[in-house]
Amino acid sequence: SDLLWLGAVPVVLLWLGAVLAARFPLLGAASPQPSSQCQRKCGSVDIPYPFGIVHSPDDDDGHCAMNGFGLTCNDTGIDDGGRHRPFYDDVEVVGVSLQQGQARMLNDIFYYCYNTTTREMDSSGSSFRWLDFAGTPFRFSDITNKFTVIGCETLAYINGHDGRNGDDGDYGGKYMSGCVAMCRGDDVRSTLSNGSCSGIGCCQTAIPGGLQYYHVEFDSAFNTTEIHNVSSCSYAVLMDSSNFTFSTTYVTSPAFTNNYGGQAPFVMDWSIGNETCDVARKKPGSYACVSDNSDCFNSLNGPGYICNCSKGFDGNPYLRDPEHGCKDIDECKLPQLYHCTNGGVCRNRLGGYDCPCKFRWKGDAKAGTCIDHFPLAAKVVVGTIVGILIMVIITFLVILHKEKKKMAEFFKKNGGPTLEKATSIKIFKTEDLKSFLKKNKLIGSGSFGKVYKGLLENKLVAIKKPINGSVRENEQFANEVIIQSQVIHKNIVRLIGCCPEVEAPLLVYEFISQGSLHDILHSNNNKVLSTWMHV
Ligand SMILES: *[C@@H]1O[C@H](CO)[C@@H](O)[C@H](O)[C@H]1NC(C)=O
Ligand SMILES: *[C@@H]1O[C@H](CO)[C@@H](O)[C@H](O)[C@H]1NC(C)=O
Ligand SMILES: *[C@@H]1O[C@H](CO)[C@@H](O)[C@H](O)[C@H]1NC(C)=O
Ligand SMILES: *[C@@H]1O[C@H](CO)[C@@H](O)[C@H](O)[C@H]1NC(C)=O
Ligand SMILES: *[C@@H]1O[C@H](CO)[C@@H](O)[C@H](O)[C@H]1NC(C)=O
Ligand SMILES: *[C@@H]1O[C@H](CO)[C@@H](O)[C@H](O)[C@H]1NC(C)=O
Ligand SMILES: *[C@@H]1O[C@H](CO)[C@@H](O)[C@H](O)[C@H]1NC(C)=O
Ligand SMILES: CC(=O)N[C@H]1CO[C@H](CO)[C@@H](O)[C@@H]1O
């Protein structure tokens, strides 16, 4: 038995291994996942992983935020109503989009203003005229952002680099561009128009992709000294152009900075790592798209990749299933987004939904073209036919019922109950005899009624159908019939049975093949008649 125990040890170990592997499938090999204790909201802003709240920007210990995605959640003070707002270093974050791989942040608006007191040009302090994301996973979105300059005698430069030459102090970078905004004519205001940013009082220029750093410079040769009575300030900022509409008041008043609270929104594209999806996928220890129903996309703005839930799924692709991660969307519960007209039948399935047209309807229910294939006229016709059929069936049933009732009445009237007790006579049902009461089975007729030929239980029989009313009623009839059936004589046609269910009861006799009485009486050479002589 000791040997038996020893044999069990590896089995138990194998089983333990299997259980552990099932519980922790990627134990030790997976990219770390955030703790469920992590704060996921700061003020009104959601902070989904890979972003997370950390105590200081350098505290990216991976528990709540992925490396490089730590935000601080700062109390912005009594003046702000004690609200909390998330910051990336000292840049305020107003929103994070996992699906687009973007973050929305706020950026100081740089100004260049004539000071009537000092009679000189003032500008934003030199240290506030740049924004530096070198060494982070963030890049200025070249699709959404535009370098925007406002002024009536203004030339502003933008300088930038992609972060790779940030350390050598060469802030001039590889990229440099500028924008000129002018107002010509005697009255500067006459040339301006709302909504138009095309050089007159306003100028916008696109930026190249991959930028992680930029700084702004105003050319001092273009200044508002001469026109300060009308327009004293110039502004320059890299901002989300979809959020910007030029107003003429921006050049003549502080309306621009007031409108945006001194900070314009801009969009950062972010990405994971500095490798493509194909390379990253081969390193399960660091690959970030851990949800089963997620896809990887190479960043369109610089190196790295982002993860997205597969089509028909929603959630966080950077978190592991099944508690978190990408979940199937129940499209049928969101009819506003996933159309299925009331001509269709919505059915959710993993990664999508089906919406076939209702039974016998044709078309595309998702496109709303489901129509009743069965026209109204056809419906009316079918309805009418069905209605008539039902009426016919009901009528038939009523008649059948009446017939049955009548049969029962006749049965009683014709002494059926008495006949039933007699053993010498058979009671037939109308159905048993009905098939014989036809013209081609008629073998004789007279004042008493008609006689038909029939076959019952393999015996030839003669069925007598008296004329209605010619038969005596009830008990007397029954007794006569019983007596008649008991008489057994070779010269008396034997009565086998009767059918009392009809008004004039049918009588069933043995079949005699010698012809009718008339035939017998009027033929000379007759056996039947000669036998009579001996009676
Ligand atoms: C936010 O708070 C942290 C400490 O709590 C501080 O180091 C940091 O400078 C603050 N950031 C901003 C933008 O106020
Ligand atoms: C991610 O998926 C959403 C919804 O399917 C889609 O709107 C979005 O464009 C996708 N993002 C990328 C980068 O493909
Ligand atoms: C002009 O400059 C003076 C002195 O530097 C300063 O006190 C004042 O606030 C400035 N005015 C404006 C409108 O910036
Ligand atoms: C532009 O719109 C502002 C209000 O938004 C208005 O005060 C101003 O007069 C408008 N300018 C022109 C030229 O219509
Ligand atoms: C403003 O521009 C004029 C001419 O362009 C120049 O002479 C003057 O020095 C400039 N003023 C400042 C403060 O730079
Ligand atoms: C600006 O306005 C003041 C008075 O309002 C006037 O004395 C001055 O000449 C004006 N300057 C210019 C450059 O128009
Ligand atoms: C990519 O990132 C890793 C670590 O994050 C770094 O060691 C490596 O030098 C980077 N490669 C490039 C080409 O930037
Ligand atoms: C000034 C302005 O237009 N701000 C808008 C920028 O866009 C966000 C969201 O898209 C709006 O909430 C702001 O009102």
Side-chain angles (χ1 to χ4, degrees), residues 55-57 72-76 85 87-92:
H55 295 296
S56 79
T72 54
C73 189
N74 286 20
D75 186 341
T76 45
R85 297 179 187 192
F87 287 86
Y88 188 77
D89 203 358
D90 57 358
V91 182
E92 185 178 345

Side-chain angles (χ1 to χ4, degrees), residues 104 239-240 242-245 250 256 259-260 265:
R104 207 176 166 77
M239 69 176 289
D240 179 357
S242 66
N243 222 225
F244 175 79
T245 312
Y250 290 176
F256 180 54
N259 229 358
Y260 290 93

Side-chain angles (χ1 to χ4, degrees), residues 148-160:
T148 305
V149 173
I150 289 165
C152 265
E153 184 81 23
T154 313
L155 166 57
Y157 302 102
I158 177 170
N159 265 266

Side-chain angles (χ1 to χ4, degrees), residues 112 119-121 153 220-226:
Y112 191 46
R119 294 167 183 244
E120 293 208 341
M121 295 302 293
E153 184 81 23
S220 62
F222 294 76
N223 60 60
T224 49
T225 310
E226 294 294 311

Side-chain angles (χ1 to χ4, degrees), residues 67 164 273-275 303:
N67 208 3
R164 274 179 285 193
N274 55 16
E275 292 156 332

